[in-house]
Amino acid sequence: FTMGKKPRVLLMGSRRAGKTSIFKTVFHKMSPHETLFLESTTMITRYDVSNSSFFQFSIWDFPCATEAEPAASDMESMLKGAAAIVYVVDAQDDLSESMPQLAKLVLKVQKHNPKILVHVFVHKHDGLSEDDKQEVYRSVSERLRSELQDESSSDFGVAYHLTSIYDYTVFEAVSRVVQNLVPHLSHLEGLLDALISKSRLDKAFLFDVVSKVYIATDSTPFDPQTYEVCSDMMDVVIDVSCIYGAGDDGDGQAYDTNSASVMRLTNGNVLFLREVSKYLALVCMMRQETADSLGLVNHNVDLFKSALKQLFEE
Amino acid sequence: MSKQDLKKVLLMGKSGAGKTSMRSIIFANYVARDTTRLGATIDVEHSHVRFLGNLVLNLWDCGGQEAFMDSYFETQRDHIFRNVALLIYVFDIESADYAADVRYYKSCIEAIEQNSPHAKVFCLIHKMDLIADELREQALTERSDQVKSLCENVDVRCFGTSIWDETLYRAWSQIVYALIPNVQVLEKQIKQFAEVTCADEVVLFERATFLVIAHVSIKEHGDAHRFEKISNIVKQFKLSCGKVQSQFQSMEVRNSNFTAFVDQFTANTAVMIVQSDPIIQPSATALNIKLARAHFEDLIRHTAGVPQ
């Protein structure tokens, strides 16, 4: 993508699939129930997200393709200027309409901008049983592949995610989309790997506090339950800080440079959070033994924090 | 051996009003989304909830389908309405048949007045989340006024509630507070504890439900709803820890302006201490909590277990 301009994410999909709801839930803190009251998107709407230097991009929310198909040349330039595409498919709906649409889009992307990924969100899985979820997920990828095969193409460059705004899956999926847009991602991951190794941590995430999207994690295997409890821990810190953290004159920030938290669990795990920049939080899971020498952990986090600051300034 | 203090609590209201959902969230560790699985309650479901050691809430969740309601006021009247410590009546704000709600409510109040004249009455105006934000306060005031006017010689406390936010915790905290004997004694002691620890605020929670039992504020705070918010926040986190096969034991949250400690306190309670004085060492607070435990363990046992 072009340097100096914010990466652009196109948010597309079938009618009432849930595109705007996904955006509002993740980035505008809308409660999932409130999204029922959202009206259909009628024009391409651009939203800017700029919480920190690492977390800057714009999202273009499209109305349903069949109702307001942009002109071919416009479409081409939009695809060429995009850094990622999110295509939302309603898992509870009939796939026979949305799959051909998606296939057409994938072909256009492969033609005009083959380097970017199309993230397919198999959305609204919350209404389905476990078996049905797997069935739909498999069905979507199979059908897309068969549509593309007809055009002698493959689903190379397509990533699939099961999502719902009623649980963590949408945050996890958006995290993966965003990670592809984060500058210096491999450097960040390297810093996190060094941190967990030096401080004997089990897992570390770098979260954007506003959206609860994580922009980087270390290279140890990803465990959804650990991710969820770390995300929830951050929620508690932010919520409690909003109540008590404003200071005597009420002017203080709830989340400020000294924001920190330690939470001890009965199974010997300890959750740890430290502010590392204005909108970023480092959230870690460690064992009780490591937590006994928090001084060392804090020292290493201070080093991590200044390494991060240097990356900003580059 | 201290005597058990058994309090009979009736949970009534039309079918689908949300009685069982509320009870499941507060006492049975359900999250709001789990309640969609609940079916209609058949006749009366009894549960015993141990609260603060010797206090036992004997909850009667009375199924609200018409056939059951009719039997409560006829054949089962004495059995249901005698010896009641507290009546909770649940109104669904979006009820399609308000006239029927009023009829049943009046019958309940009549039966209570006759059989348990000293019972406390709480009305929960439920499912407030279905009303748009800006219209909520007005809708609640209107309905509360209507309900209160139905039985003017009974002291009724009304609360707007929803399983999707902290308002549920506020109502139920008030309900259990009304059932704890000698809670003022406890509050006085908590105040002393707050002064010793140089705390801005000390809050005592029941350990399993995280309902607020008592609180003391040395320093003024603008948000009157913070206690139920904290109940909700911590309770949700407790349930979240269940996912990694664990429970949370203690937590410390801080920023430049405050430090909050939440820790297990006595066998049945948890305590939150909020301090803004930057000089206080966390280890000093931890020590104070440790030293106070034994004293409060004794006090709470005697507070909750002695019948009025």
Side-chain angles (χ1 to χ4, degrees):
Chain A
F1 47 86
T2 22
M3 292 299 281
K5 254 176 75 176
K6 277 195 219 147
R8 191 187 298 169
V9 178
L10 306 186
L11 183 54
M12 311 171 93
S14 31
R15 212 165 158 268
R16 301 303 281 177
K19 308 177 281 298
T20 312
S21 299
I22 290 173
F23 174 77
K24 293 278 180 186
T25 309
V26 176
F27 295 104
H28 284 184
K29 310 249 80 160
M30 187 176 270
S31 146
H33 310 282
E34 291 176 75
T35 62
L36 290 169
F37 299 112
L38 282 171
E39 298 196 359
S40 287
T41 310
T42 48
M43 321 183 293
I44 302 178
T45 317
R46 178 186 157 156
Y47 299 101
D48 278 323
V49 177
S50 31
N51 293 341
S52 71
S53 307
F54 287 105
F55 203 65
Q56 300 227 350
F57 47 91
S58 66
I59 295 188
W60 293 36
D61 186 4
F62 279 64
C64 156
T66 50
E67 285 175 0
E69 177 91 44
S73 53
D74 289 340
M75 200 62 218
E76 193 184 311
S77 66
M78 279 193 278
L79 290 180
K80 282 192 171 142
I85 303 204
V86 173
Y87 195 91
V88 185
V89 173
D90 185 341
Q92 297 179 15
D93 218 3
D94 178 15
L95 297 176
S96 50
E97 249 194 57
S98 46
M99 287 298 100
Q101 290 280 354
L102 175 55
K104 273 203 290 190
L105 177 69
V106 173
L107 288 168
K108 283 192 198 136
V109 172
Q110 285 173 346
K111 181 171 168 201
H112 299 297
N113 199 344
K115 292 209 183 108
I116 69 172
L117 281 179
V118 175
H119 295 267
V120 177
F121 281 17
V122 181
H123 195 53
K124 299 190 194 167
H125 72 75
D126 47 280
L128 305 174
S129 71
E130 204 51 55
D131 289 337
D132 286 343
K133 274 182 220 190
Q134 298 308 321
E135 184 53 51
V136 174
Y137 187 78
R138 210 185 24 231
S139 180
V140 167
S141 52
E142 269 170 18
R143 289 178 73 154
L144 183 60
R145 260 178 242 135
S146 78
E147 297 264 349
L148 291 172
Q149 244 169 30
D150 296 344
E151 308 284 332
S152 56
S153 180
S154 74
D155 68 345
F156 185 76
V158 178
Y160 303 91
H161 312 266
L162 255 183
T163 59
S164 163
I165 54 174
Y166 289 96
D167 62 28
Y168 303 85
T169 51
V170 73
F171 292 93
E172 221 187 288
V174 173
S175 296
R176 295 195 198 258
V177 173
V178 163
Q179 275 155 45
N180 286 335
L181 312 173
V182 169
H184 312 293
L185 180 68
S186 48
H187 197 150
L188 276 179
E189 287 170 344
L191 285 176
L192 287 170
D193 280 338
L195 178 69
I196 66 165
S197 134
K198 272 191 293 180
S199 313
R200 288 195 302 267
L201 308 176
D202 288 357
K203 192 74 189 154
F205 291 96
L206 202 57
F207 277 100
D208 169 74
V209 299
V210 178
S211 62
K212 298 195 304 184
V213 165
Y214 73 93
I215 68 168
T217 183
D218 61 84
S219 51
T220 61
F222 178 86
D223 166 45
Q225 276 77 38
T226 305
Y227 157 71
E228 287 173 20
V229 81
C230 286
S231 176
D232 287 342
M233 186 239 187
M234 189 175 72
D235 265 345
V236 173
V237 175
I238 302 294
D239 289 342
V240 172
S241 303
C242 281
I243 297 176
Y244 291 111
D248 282 336
D249 44 13
D251 276 347
Q253 291 279 9
Y255 185 71
D256 68 15
T257 182
N258 286 318
S259 282
S261 173
V262 178
M263 300 197 187
R264 292 167 199 277
L265 306 184
T266 52
N267 63 359
N269 280 333
V270 177
L271 293 164
F272 173 91
L273 181 151
R274 277 272 307 269
E275 183 266 16
V276 290
S277 90
K278 198 164 179 213
Y279 296 103
L280 292 182
L282 176 72
V283 184
C284 314
M285 173 94 99
M286 66 182 85
R287 297 292 306 164
Q288 176 64 55
E289 305 80 68
T290 312
D292 288 339
S293 28
L294 275 182
L296 174 65
V297 178
N298 274 313
H299 172 73
N300 288 329
V301 173
D302 289 338
L303 294 178
F304 175 85
K305 200 167 161 173
S306 36
L308 208 65
K309 198 153 173 270
Q310 275 188 332
L311 266 186
F312 276 131
E313 277 147 25
E314 264 167 35
Chain B
M1 199 179 92
S2 3
K3 264 172 35 181
Q4 244 190 24
D5 191 6
L6 200 66
K7 304 260 180 184
K8 177 172 168 182
V9 177
L10 287 188
L11 191 49
M12 299 202 102
K14 269 182 75 234
S15 181
K19 306 179 288 298
T20 310
S21 296
M22 285 199 265
R23 165 166 80 84
S24 307
I25 291 172
I26 297 288
F27 297 109
N29 288 333
Y30 274 51
V31 289
R33 289 192 59 213
D34 291 344
T35 60
T36 52
R37 294 194 253 130
L38 291 167
T41 305
I42 304 302
D43 202 12
V44 182
E45 259 177 43
H46 295 269
S47 51
H48 281 71
V49 179
R50 188 167 275 280
F51 207 81
L52 284 196
N54 290 324
L55 182 63
V56 178
L57 304 184
N58 184 7
L59 269 177
W60 291 45
D61 181 354
C62 303
Q65 290 176 338
E66 247 177 81
F68 301 129
M69 291 287 255
D70 293 336
S71 90
Y72 303 148
F73 301 121
E74 288 152 33
T75 50
Q76 297 196 64
R77 198 184 172 88
D78 293 346
H79 171 62
I80 302 255
F81 291 99
R82 241 185 230 160
N83 297 319
V84 173
L86 196 148
L87 165 70
I88 304 168
Y89 198 91
V90 183
F91 286 95
D92 175 347
I93 188 82
E94 290 231 315
S95 165
D97 191 358
Y98 182 59
D101 290 346
V102 167
R103 220 171 42 241
Y104 283 129
Y105 176 66
K106 279 176 144 172
S107 305
C108 266
I109 297 293
E110 209 182 280
I112 278 285
E113 277 182 301
Q114 288 168 2
N115 293 283
S116 301
H118 301 295
K120 302 192 173 121
V121 181
F122 280 74
C123 281
L124 303 187
I125 315 292
H126 195 49
K127 302 191 191 170
M128 291 302 295
D129 53 280
L130 295 174
I131 308 281
D133 223 339
E134 28 337 326
L135 302 172
R136 227 169 264 183
E137 202 179 318
Q138 190 191 354
L140 179 59
T141 316
E142 267 172 30
R143 183 55 60 88
S144 304
D145 289 343
Q146 279 169 358
V147 166
K148 285 186 185 162
S149 69
L150 291 173
C151 305
E152 273 164 357
N153 49 332
V154 177
D155 183 22
V156 173
R157 296 188 62 188
C158 285
F159 290 90
T161 54
S162 163
I163 57 172
W164 299 103
D165 62 35
E166 73 276 0
T167 53
L168 186 67
Y169 289 88
R170 177 154 173 262
W172 282 85
S173 279
Q174 295 294 320
I175 288 167
V176 299
Y177 185 88
L179 293 167
I180 301 172
N182 303 328
V183 73
Q184 289 80 14
V185 173
L186 190 56
E187 279 177 330
K188 255 173 82 179
Q189 302 269 334
I190 297 284
K191 184 152 194 283
Q192 280 176 7
F193 180 63
E195 283 157 7
V196 161
T197 52
C198 302
D200 291 353
E201 193 148 275
V202 175
V203 185
L204 200 64
F205 302 93
E206 194 279 333
R207 199 153 157 176
T209 60
F210 253 84
L211 292 174
V212 175
I213 304 167
H215 63 84
V216 157
S217 309
I218 309 274
K219 191 166 160 195
E220 249 187 61
H221 193 287
D223 185 354
H225 298 291
R226 63 192 182 282
F227 303 111
E228 56 262 28
K229 285 180 186 170
I230 298 281
S231 285
N232 192 15
I233 291 166
V234 182
K235 182 82 184 284
Q236 297 307 315
F237 186 63
K238 254 173 68 93
L239 298 179
S240 180
C241 289
K243 274 185 252 179
V244 287
Q245 284 76 51
S246 181
Q247 295 234 38
F248 107 85
Q249 200 173 323
S250 69
M251 65 167 77
E252 190 185 308
V253 178
R254 61 174 69 235
N255 77 2
S256 309
N257 299 312
F258 83 104
T259 306
F261 295 91
V262 180
D263 204 346
Q264 307 305 331
F265 199 40
T266 66
N268 302 295
T269 60
V271 68
M272 177 174 77
I273 299 175
V274 182
Q275 294 159 323
S276 52
D277 188 340
I279 298 179
I280 305 167
Q281 292 283 9
S283 46
T285 307
L287 184 61
N288 277 321
I289 294 176
K290 198 170 159 192
L291 294 173
R293 264 196 189 111
H295 168 78
F296 277 96
E297 189 73 73
D298 236 14
L299 176 66
I300 289 169
R301 213 172 323 136
H302 286 115
T303 301
V306 177
Q308 293 281 36

